[in-house]
Amino acid sequence: MITWAVPDNVGFAVSNREGGVSLPPFDSLNLGLHVDDNPEAVRENRRRVQHHFAMPAAPSWLDQVHSTKVVQLPLTASCQADASYTRCAGQVCVVMTADCLPVLLCNRQGTEVAAIHAGWRGLCQGIIENTLGHFSAPAEEIMALTGPAIGPTAFEVGPEVREAFMAYSPAAAQAFIPAAPGKYMANLEQLAVQRLNHAGVTDIHCTSLCTYTLSDKYFSYRKSPVTGRFASFIWLKS
């Protein structure tokens, strides 16, 4: 179970792949409707997660496309975006992942929350910064949680990924370790922490859980391209 010392008015949860009704290879708590799983099984899995974590309402699921778009809840219709923000009680922000990095945010007063889907493209192009821009609270009053994602011993990338991050900040080089010829092992969590720090957020709780090496507990697209999605949720209680 993932713990995080959030304000009393904030609720959060991170699911895994256990406790659902989906059949292999989506076994068993797949929450993604877009991966060719049985839609009725996914809807039942979503119902179970909402009930298990005592969420105040159904989560506002996004059509995630590795963008830098942030939407503010409540939504009037489904939309393409990779982060959601709200200051309204009873609205549940959610992002689905299966190797990409989920980032949850709240302010210390417990009046604003957000959920971010940070794949390397969105992270590099500014999804964290765009989401922080929705907060009224200054960065020094914002708390962050980085959830399960592919770890630095499993995430092999090409030089173009390293160069893209270094174009933003030369310090990003610290998050890349040379691997096979022309390849690097990338630390997605470290890159996110760098971006958060640069924006002024220093209260960061890192889970450092690798979806690839823990693929029996979390879905990993790089381990099994046909797989499900787990999710990270955050909401205001009242």
Side-chain angles (χ1 to χ4, degrees), residues 3 9 28 34 60 93 102 119 121 139 154 166 190 208 238:
T3 60
N9 195 45
S28 65
H34 63 294
S60 295
C93 299
R121 289 178 180 84
M166 289 184 63
Q190 184 178 358
S208 300
S238 62

Side-chain angles (χ1 to χ4, degrees), residues 21-100:
V21 299
S22 291
L23 300 176
F26 307 107
D27 48 323
S28 65
L29 195 65
N30 167 45
L31 300 176
L33 279 169
H34 63 294
V35 296
D36 294 327
D37 190 6
N38 182 329
E40 291 305 314
V42 177
R43 293 187 184 99
E44 172 60 16
N45 291 340
R46 290 182 173 187
R47 187 199 65 78
R48 290 188 179 197
V49 165
Q50 181 182 343
H51 175 75
H52 178 76
F53 291 113
M55 297 178 193
S60 295
W61 303 93
L62 304 174
D63 180 9
Q64 299 171 195
V65 291
H66 294 274
S67 69
T68 59
K69 183 178 179 180
V70 185
V71 293
Q72 184 164 332
L73 306 186
L75 295 175
T76 56
S78 61
C79 65
Q80 291 186 339
D82 285 86
S84 60
Y85 161 91
T86 192
R87 63 187 68 178
C88 298
Q91 298 292 319
V92 182
C93 299
V94 57
V95 289
M96 294 180 290
T97 52
D99 283 339
C100 292

Side-chain angles (χ1 to χ4, degrees), residues 152 161-163 165-167 169-178 184-195 197:
V161 177
R162 180 174 180 268
E163 290 165 4
F165 278 98
M166 289 184 63
S169 171
Q174 301 168 9
F176 295 88
I177 297 175
Y184 294 87
M185 305 307 294
N187 190 327
L188 199 59
E189 187 176 66
Q190 184 178 358
L191 289 164
V193 169
Q194 286 182 348
R195 290 299 187 97
N197 286 167

